[in-house]
């Protein structure tokens, strides 16, 4: 497996929308293994999306189970062609991103979502998510539309915070 290079701002490729996956083959699964290796090599990342390593396909990995936040979650998830079918509530919360290494920011997200996706073999998946897992999923799905959390902060003056150290 390979640790892939992560694109960081201001790389324009991060704005490129991703295309759906159509071939659920060994090459896809090998890429997903590399993407996971890359996520784990990063500093405390709860999620990673394929376009962050320059592959513009709708693939993401999410795992909020290792964080300190005591919230319900589904553990380690590989989501291919994810789509949110339902949003409910909203709350503000702090986010960070491997592609924005120097900042965190306050972003408004839905509190609860329903999400449909496929696994790496093309089988259908469906989850109800809430809290931090729902937030992380919305953040990762944004990457597939070429959006970063810094595009969603209410005010760059008051809602962006410079990191001292990328914390685990
Ligand atoms: Ni991100």
């Amino acid at each position: 497996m390979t640790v892939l290079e992560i694109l960081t701002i201001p790389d324009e490729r991060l704005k490129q929308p991703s295309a759906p996956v159509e071939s659920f083959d060994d090459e896809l699964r090998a890429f997903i293994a590399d993407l996971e290796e890359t996520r784990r090599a990063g500093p405390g990342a709860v999620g990673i999306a394929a376009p962050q390593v320059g592959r513009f396909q709708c693939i993401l990995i999410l795992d909020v189970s290792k964080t300190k936040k005591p919230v319900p979650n589904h553990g380690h998830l590989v989501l291919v062609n994810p789509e949110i079918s339902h949003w409910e509530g909203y709350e503000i919360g702090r986010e960070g991103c491997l592609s924005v290494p120097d900042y965190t920011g306050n972003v408004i997200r839905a509190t609860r979502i329903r999400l449909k996706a496929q696994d790496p073999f093309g089988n259908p998946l469906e989850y109800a998510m809430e809290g931090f897992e729902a937030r992380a999923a919305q953040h990762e799905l944004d990457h597939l539309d070429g959006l970063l959390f810094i595009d969603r902060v209410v005010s760059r003056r008051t809602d962006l915070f410079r990191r001292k150290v990328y914390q685990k």
Side-chain angles (χ1 to χ4, degrees), residues 47 52 96-99 139-140 143 148-149:
Q52 289 183 275
C97 180
L98 292 171
S99 295
H139 173 115
E140 297 309 328
H143 280 296
L148 299 171
F149 79 85

Side-chain angles (χ1 to χ4, degrees), residues 34 45 55 60 64 71 76 122 144 156:
D34 287 346
R55 177 158 168 153
L60 57 88
V64 301
V71 290
H76 186 270
L144 307 179
R156 290 200 175 205

Side-chain angles (χ1 to χ4, degrees), residues 24-136:
F24 293 82
D25 53 14
D26 287 345
E27 192 279 330
L28 173 72
R29 290 182 284 275
F31 168 73
I32 288 170
D34 287 346
L35 190 63
E36 171 64 1
E37 189 85 347
T38 307
R39 183 186 73 87
R40 295 173 76 100
V46 297
I48 192 168
Q52 289 183 275
V53 296
R55 177 158 168 153
F56 299 94
Q57 280 192 305
C58 296
I59 304 162
L60 57 88
I61 299 175
L62 196 63
D63 185 357
V64 301
S65 65
K66 306 291 190 292
T67 58
K68 284 171 276 184
K69 302 181 177 70
V71 290
N73 69 80
H74 298 89
H76 186 270
L77 298 176
V78 176
L79 302 175
V80 180
N81 298 334
E83 282 182 32
I84 295 174
S85 57
H86 179 76
W87 291 260
E88 208 179 303
Y90 59 87
E91 61 188 7
I92 197 160
R94 192 71 75 90
E95 297 184 13
C97 180
L98 292 171
S99 295
V100 188
D102 296 333
Y103 292 91
T104 61
N106 284 333
V107 183
I108 295 168
R109 301 282 188 190
T111 312
R112 296 169 196 275
I113 59 170
R114 289 197 74 83
L115 181 151
K116 293 179 183 177
Q118 288 167 282
D119 74 7
F121 295 89
N123 301 306
L125 302 170
E126 190 166 359
Y127 297 101
M129 296 180 173
E130 60 183 289
F132 188 60
E133 186 179 51
R135 170 174 299 278

Side-chain angles (χ1 to χ4, degrees), residues 2-30:
T2 315
V3 173
L4 305 165
E5 188 193 342
I6 292 174
L7 308 183
T8 55
I9 53 166
D11 195 311
E12 289 291 314
R13 289 173 290 175
L14 289 165
K15 297 179 181 173
Q16 186 174 323
S18 288
V21 170
E22 288 169 3
S23 305
F24 293 82
D25 53 14
D26 287 345
E27 192 279 330
L28 173 72
R29 290 182 284 275

